[in-house]
Amino acid sequence: MSTPSIQNNPLIGIWKLISATAIHADGTVAPEVYGKNPVGYITYTLDGHMMVMFARSDRSPLSQEVQSPLSSQMQSLPVEELAQAFTTFNAYAGTYTLNGNTVNHQIEIASIPNRVGTTLVRTFTLSESQMTLLTTPVLSDGVEQVFELVWERV
């Protein structure tokens, strides 16, 4: 696998998140796993780098004004409030390679530290100005699921 040139790489650019859905192994669908109107962007560059971030659009604001995540204000917030902020946001960045309709994200930095140094495999389909990414099956709360994220080219 190698980084494709711009001529044969349909992913290059910036994409805005339209929807996030969970598809259970039994075929049932859980729409809106990141809320009714999730927000997010994924970017693929010509030189083989990528970054993605997305969140629920209905995230609660923090109870205090926080100027920096390293500030004492952040450290003094209730653990439950920090957990809520963390679990409604996802981000990672690194490099990527293409192989047919599969894109492999090699993670260098991530909001979930355990993902650093791993490869996340996504299959993709393209139609007009939209891209759909499907995760490999994951076990979540004892249920096998595939997550489907639909993006629109910016």
Side-chain angles (χ1 to χ4, degrees):
M1 293 182 286
S2 63
T3 303
S5 67
I6 194 167
Q7 292 83 8
N8 59 1
N9 184 346
L11 302 185
I12 291 175
I14 301 170
W15 303 80
K16 183 178 180 176
L17 186 62
I18 302 302
S19 67
T21 304
I23 304 165
H24 299 250
D26 66 4
T28 60
V29 176
E32 304 173 2
V33 292
Y34 261 78
K36 187 174 182 98
N37 298 302
V39 293
Y41 290 93
I42 189 167
T43 301
Y44 292 99
T45 67
L46 177 60
D47 67 353
H49 287 86
M50 63 78 54
M51 66 179 81
V52 62
M53 63 177 69
F54 56 93
R56 294 183 61 95
S57 62
D58 59 355
R59 297 173 79 206
S60 297
L62 300 175
S63 60
Q64 297 181 50
E65 185 64 32
V66 175
Q67 298 299 319
S68 164
L70 303 176
S71 70
S72 60
Q73 292 96 350
M74 182 67 94
Q75 302 303 318
S76 68
L77 290 171
V79 172
E80 296 81 13
E81 191 172 337
L82 293 172
Q84 181 66 24
F86 178 80
T87 59
T88 57
F89 179 82
N90 187 27
Y92 63 84
T95 58
Y96 74 97
T97 54
L98 288 179
N99 185 13
N101 71 329
T102 301
V103 59
N104 297 298
H105 298 161
Q106 292 86 27
I107 310 305
E108 297 174 12
I109 186 171
S111 59
I112 301 171
N114 304 41
R115 285 184 162 178
V116 174
T118 67
T119 298
L120 300 179
V121 178
R122 308 289 186 247
T123 57
F124 67 89
T125 55
L126 298 165
S127 66
E128 297 182 22
S129 64
Q130 288 194 343
M131 168 179 64
T132 301
L133 293 178
L134 289 173
T135 67
T136 55
V138 295
L139 198 59
S140 180
D141 297 327
V143 177
E144 187 175 279
Q145 308 176 71
V146 170
F147 292 95
E148 177 186 81
L149 290 97
V150 179
W151 305 86
E152 186 170 70
R153 188 178 295 277
V154 174

